Amino acid sequence: MNSKILPTDLTQRPPRSFRVRLGNYVILARMLDKGRATVAGKNGEYKYNSTTDQRLVQFIGFDPDAMLEELAAGKGDGEILEWVQSHSRTPRAPWEIEVWSAFMEKRGPDSDAETLAFFADYLGQLSKTREDVKTWFEAIELDDYASFGGKA
């Protein structure tokens, strides 16, 4: 039985964290939230197939536009996970998924000056005092929190 999944209204609250794992993949659950909201016209400032989403797309090797069609059909997280695994151009072993997901959780800005300056500027727009934010996931989670009324 396929009951239609209602999208998260991303004008009212953020999508799930990048850290929420689906099939042990980070990013995927958040990408699904953004995709469902995009289909419903409720994505606000969130972008489906963003730069971070594309890291997952490249790692697994699937078509994000085709996945958006699956989301539009109302498929649930488990069904989409099965679809992603069956449509992967680069099937991954469980250990590869675990290592990649752990790396992504710890990934900070690259060490080149341009990327470090971009990260510092992005973080500076959220808070001038936060010295504990070191990874992209932490910075984006802080942005999510601050965007919906939290104190950065």
Side-chain angles (χ1 to χ4, degrees):
M1 178 171 169
N2 183 7
S3 55
K4 191 151 177 91
I5 302 297
L6 297 176
T8 300
D9 183 346
L10 300 184
T11 66
Q12 300 298 310
R13 68 179 201 94
R16 287 176 279 184
S17 167
F18 284 119
R19 298 172 199 275
V20 172
R21 293 187 182 207
L22 179 59
N24 212 16
Y25 295 102
V26 294
I27 303 172
L28 182 56
R30 183 180 179 97
M31 188 175 182
L32 299 184
D33 287 352
K34 293 189 299 179
R36 288 185 181 109
T38 297
V39 167
K42 298 283 188 179
N43 57 304
E45 295 185 23
Y46 290 94
K47 306 279 188 256
Y48 174 76
N49 199 25
S50 67
T51 303
T52 305
D53 295 347
Q54 289 173 24
R55 291 189 175 277
L56 175 68
V57 169
Q58 291 167 356
F59 177 68
I60 304 173
F62 67 91
D63 179 353
D65 293 329
M67 186 169 84
L68 200 58
E69 291 175 19
E70 298 295 313
L71 290 168
K75 292 187 177 178
D77 287 359
E79 292 170 301
I80 296 293
L81 177 61
E82 288 177 14
W83 180 89
V84 165
Q85 291 169 331
S86 68
H87 288 80
S88 171
R89 290 185 298 275
T90 314
R92 300 293 183 167
W95 70 267
E96 291 176 292
I97 298 166
E98 175 60 37
V99 169
W100 181 83
S101 290
F103 167 76
M104 290 303 294
E105 285 182 324
K106 292 178 176 31
R107 186 176 164 269
D110 296 333
S111 60
D112 63 281
E114 183 179 349
T115 306
L116 288 170
F118 177 83
F119 185 84
D121 182 54
Y122 177 62
L123 188 55
Q125 292 173 28
L126 300 169
S127 172
K128 302 289 186 204
T129 59
R130 295 290 299 264
E131 296 180 5
D132 59 320
V133 178
K134 305 291 185 200
T135 71
W136 287 110
F137 283 10
E138 290 169 343
I140 294 169
E141 287 172 343
L142 180 62
D143 191 351
D144 285 350
Y145 182 69
S147 293
F148 289 92
K151 185 174 179 344

